Amino acid sequence: MNYHINFNFVWKYADKLYWGLVLSIELAFISILIGCVIGLALAVVYNDGHPWLKRVVSAYVEVVRNLPLLLLIYLIFYGIPSIGGFAFDATESFVLTLSLYAGAYLVEVFRAGLAAVSPGVIDAGKAIGLTAWQRFAYVRFPTMLRIVLPSLSNAFISLFKDTSLASVIAVPELTFGANWIKTNTFRAVEVWIVVAGVYLVVGWILLAALRLLERVLMPGRRT
Amino acid sequence: MTDPLVRITQVKKSFGSTLVLDGVDLDVPKGEVVVVIGPSGSGKTTLLRCINALETYDDGSIKVDGVEIGFRGEPGGPRKRRSDGELARIRADIGMVFQQFNLFPHLTAVENVMLGLTKVRGMPPAQAREKALHWLDRVGLSQKTANLPSQLSGGQQQRVGIARAVAMDPKVLLLDEITSALDPELVGEVLSVVRGLAAEGMTMVVVTHEMTFARDVGTQLVFMDHGHKIAEGPPNEILRRSDNERLRSFLSRIEFRQDG
């Protein structure tokens, strides 16, 4: 074998990876945030809403969850401008896609969490005179959050990794940066090793941060 | 004579096709402790939950301090179920302690007691904390104020539950089988707190299986079966009475349970 591993080419274009990583984190952060809002709102609608609304939420979840994310990315990026007539840039398109995708997964997480809040605890909230909104803000939501936190951690890490798919519509995130370096240096192995390491480290930091949050929110509970 | 604090007249309630309350009347004068006993499925817990509108009732009337609980509108005339906001205001003045404690799991003992004071009573946090600490001290938990419910024993959790209810200065306190989920050795510490409250003149409606407690603390004993009030009177009289077959058979089973 006469291929010599040489990382110098990767370091030379390190700024591509650096800015790619920054964008990946931004994409994940914004999409997760919007996804959480969608997920939480729809979970409440599902749990407390009219049966008719329940069916709408289920339909959204089923459609999004049964389509590959890659297909959704293409569908929204190429589909919406051609039928709706308004074009948006690849980054916006991807954030929209990942938010909708995150929303569909997080509805399930929040829905299960809300259902797991004991009815007795909600009764206790009623008994001290809390209104429906106060019961949600001070009893149901914080109790639910502690229940779902472990599953939320998994979802967040998956969504962070899913940002790599944005490279297919030329959003200049980490994987796209890696592709660019590979194309221009023909040093595929080195680039992918470095980028794999970056995803690993970021995922690991994210997990550690969420575990820390779990410990802060749930002292006295060992997992 | 003044009106009783709680007046229940001809209350009816069904779950589906099952009639659980079939025209129950009950008066609870201010400062008295009314103890409701009866076999499971007799409707006693449902009756208690109707008093603070955790359950709705279909017919009849429940008034606490003159205010109809479940409905607004004229008696006899068209009635409308109360909105969530109205119910919240009414419930704030009615305390309840639950069989399963039902503490807010994410809040410490003192925060459990404070929540209603700050969010419902609008008390400044410092003042609410002071009041909460006072009540936790009263129930013997001044050392456990910063503990989460998961770090407390059942008896301690239930005493927090009592503190949470009484800190709101309720007009009436509802106790729903508050010792049934406790290990036998923890029952005493909870009941002694309730005895103290009774001695201070707190009006209470108590559903319990603790006959000794019912006799000691109750000013009036009510026996329910199949959604009906079967017997009512001073505890000693009711517990010794043998003229009612159902009451007698219930009491013999209870005695048996206690012996075992």
Side-chain angles (χ1 to χ4, degrees), chain B residues 126-141:
Chain B
Q127 197 187 335
R129 176 171 293 271
E130 198 177 315
K131 189 166 191 187
L133 291 175
H134 163 78
W135 276 108
L136 287 174
D137 187 41
R138 268 291 308 272
V139 301
L141 288 174

Side-chain angles (χ1 to χ4, degrees), chain A residues 120 123 126-127 132 134 138, chain B residues 49 84 91 102 106 119 168:
Chain A
D123 277 351
K126 287 181 182 172
Q134 288 176 321
Y138 304 122
Chain B
R49 288 170 62 85
D84 182 73
R91 286 173 183 142
N102 295 349
H106 61 295
K119 305 304 176 196
M168 296 292 286

